[in-house]
């Protein structure tokens, strides 16, 4: 029952597509329950009555109507209903207007690369492991994979879509209320599959536009010792901080890292202690992570870098 509500529940929809999936689920459950009750009722009835055996003709009719016609009608009706729902779940099948913005999300072992396009005079930018969306507007997604198959799934907002290497899949979602949601990877992709999630923050359109502008602008340099050590120890070789370091894209972008909910793609709460723990030995937190351990660095340097990252707000 604990799965019925909260930030990662398909039974507590916060988007158009999730609402359609939820309705389909309810129809299936109620329909299935009614049919089950009818069958059990018939069984009880048949067990109680002692009657003369049925003629072959009467039994044949029961099989044709109850065993062939009834399931065919029910299944065709359910199929028709599900197909009718599909345009709401898969908007490329028409009916809804195309999304004004298409965000590119790439699944990597074991994190999410997120690229916002340039639109309406706002520059494009890259971020990671936290998606922000405007409420009441449709957003498109172009979904890719860098290594193995992953699956993009925001249960509260809509259905799943696989991310397949060498292929681009599309999906579009329309959130109907603001809030913070959680999206787990929905396809087994390696040792840390269960530690691969991202946060979704659905915002008011004005807040969203302000957030976008700030993101594209990047962080202001001059944050002190932690920033210097971040470059000195080579962190900036894999992780970019827009406005501060040269672009780097091997690992997750860390611009405005302090705004994110988690460290390690949904693994730990975003605190300086947890960031330091991750830097010291990523594989201890997240088996199979490609980032090497930096436990040879002086503890105070790790602490300074962690404090710097958490302070990027
Ligand atoms: Cu990525 Cu499972």
């Amino acid at each position: 029952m604990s799965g019925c509500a909260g930030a990662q529940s398909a039974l507590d929809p916060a988007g158009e597509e999730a609402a359609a999936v939820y309705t389909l689920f309810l129809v299936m459950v109620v329909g299935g329950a009614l049919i089950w009750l009818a069958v059990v009722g018939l069984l009880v009835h048949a067990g109680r009555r002692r009657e003369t055996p049925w003629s072959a003709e009467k039994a044949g009719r029961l099989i044709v109507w109850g065993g062939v016609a009834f399931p065919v009608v029910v299944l065709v009706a359910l199929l028709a209903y599900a197909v009718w729902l599909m345009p709401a779940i898969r908007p490329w099948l028409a009916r809804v207007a195309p999304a004004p913005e298409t965000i590119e999300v790439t699944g990597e072992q074991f994190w999410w690369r997120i690229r916002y396009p340039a639109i309406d005079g706002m520059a494009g930018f890259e971020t990671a492991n936290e998606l922000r969306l405007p409420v009441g507007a449709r957003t498109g997604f172009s979904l890719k994979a860098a290594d193995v198959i992953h699956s993009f799934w925001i249960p509260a907002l809509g259905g799943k879509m696989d991310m397949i290497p060498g292929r681009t899949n599309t999906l579009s979602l329309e959130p109907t209320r603001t809030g913070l949601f959680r999206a787990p990877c929905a396809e087994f992709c390696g040792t840390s599959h269960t530690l691969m999630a991202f946060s979704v923050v659905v915002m008011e359109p004005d807040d969203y536009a302000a957030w976008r502008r700030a993101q594209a602008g990047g962080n202001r340099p001059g944050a002190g010792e932690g920033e210097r050590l971040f470059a000195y120890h080579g962190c900036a070789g894999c992780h970019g901080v827009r406005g501060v370091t040269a672009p780097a894209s091997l690992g997750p972008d860390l611009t405005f890292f302090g705004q994110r909910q988690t460290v390690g793609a949904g693994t730990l709460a975003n605190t300086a202690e947890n960031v330091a723990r991750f830097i010291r030995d990523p594989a201890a937190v997240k088996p199979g992570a490609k980032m090497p351990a930096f436990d040879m660095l002086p503890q105070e340097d790790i602490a300074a870098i962690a404090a710097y990252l958490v302070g990027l707000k």
Side-chain angles (χ1 to χ4, degrees):
M1 293 304 285
S2 64
C4 295
Q8 192 184 299
S9 177
L11 302 181
D12 187 12
E16 293 276 342
E17 289 66 31
V21 172
Y22 182 59
T23 310
L24 179 63
F25 167 77
L26 283 184
V27 168
M28 294 273 186
V29 168
V30 171
L34 289 177
I35 292 171
W36 181 81
L37 282 174
V39 171
V40 170
L42 277 174
L43 263 175
V44 170
H45 176 70
R48 278 203 185 143
R49 277 185 61 172
R50 301 192 117 229
E51 210 182 341
T52 44
W54 280 17
S55 67
E57 197 200 337
K58 205 176 167 193
R61 239 184 294 142
L62 179 71
I63 290 169
V64 168
W65 286 107
V68 180
F70 179 71
V72 166
V73 169
V74 169
L75 291 177
V76 166
L78 278 178
L79 179 68
Y81 176 59
V83 168
W84 176 78
L85 271 185
M86 277 182 85
I89 300 169
R90 301 276 182 259
W92 39 263
L93 280 174
R95 228 158 67 182
V96 288
E101 179 175 28
T102 296
I103 299 170
E104 186 185 303
V105 184
T106 307
E108 312 212 5
Q109 280 174 322
F110 300 92
W111 60 281
W112 311 83
R113 185 189 296 279
I114 300 171
R115 284 201 189 99
Y116 284 77
I119 50 155
D120 296 342
M122 292 189 279
F125 59 90
E126 181 172 319
T127 180
N129 302 328
E130 187 162 303
L131 186 65
R132 296 210 179 203
L133 300 172
V135 69
R138 182 159 289 284
T139 301
F141 296 94
S142 119
L143 305 171
K144 302 174 179 189
D147 32 46
V148 299
I149 300 178
H150 304 270
S151 182
F152 179 91
W153 186 33
I154 310 172
L157 299 189
K160 294 174 190 175
M161 180 58 81
D162 275 357
M163 306 169 108
I164 299 167
R167 205 191 132 90
T168 301
N169 280 341
T170 57
L171 184 72
S172 94
L173 297 171
E174 186 172 331
T176 48
R177 61 178 156 93
T178 57
L180 172 64
F181 306 100
R182 187 175 188 273
C185 177
E187 180 77 45
F188 181 73
C189 53
T191 37
S192 278
H193 157 68
T194 50
L195 299 174
M196 178 173 175
F198 59 96
S199 333
V200 182
V201 183
V202 177
M203 313 170 82
E204 292 297 340
D206 291 348
D207 298 341
Y208 173 72
W211 173 82
R212 267 203 71 135
R213 275 196 201 90
Q215 280 285 324
N219 287 110
R220 222 170 277 144
E225 185 64 0
E227 181 182 303
R228 188 188 69 78
L229 290 167
F230 185 80
Y232 178 75
H233 288 307
C235 310
C238 295
H239 301 281
V241 177
R242 235 180 338 282
V244 180
T245 71
S249 61
L250 208 54
D253 174 87
L254 298 179
T255 313
F256 289 108
F257 179 80
Q259 290 183 353
R260 296 184 199 161
Q261 311 295 317
T262 65
V263 54
T267 309
L268 300 171
N270 192 1
T271 63
E273 298 74 52
N274 284 339
V275 174
R277 197 172 140 199
F278 197 90
I279 296 171
R280 250 177 250 125
D281 191 1
V285 175
K286 198 161 182 171
K290 288 185 180 150
M291 176 170 155
F294 283 89
D295 47 0
M296 69 296 198
L297 299 186
Q299 291 305 311
E300 59 273 21
D301 286 14
I302 293 180
I305 293 170
Y308 163 63
L309 292 174
V310 169
L312 289 176
K313 291 194 171 161

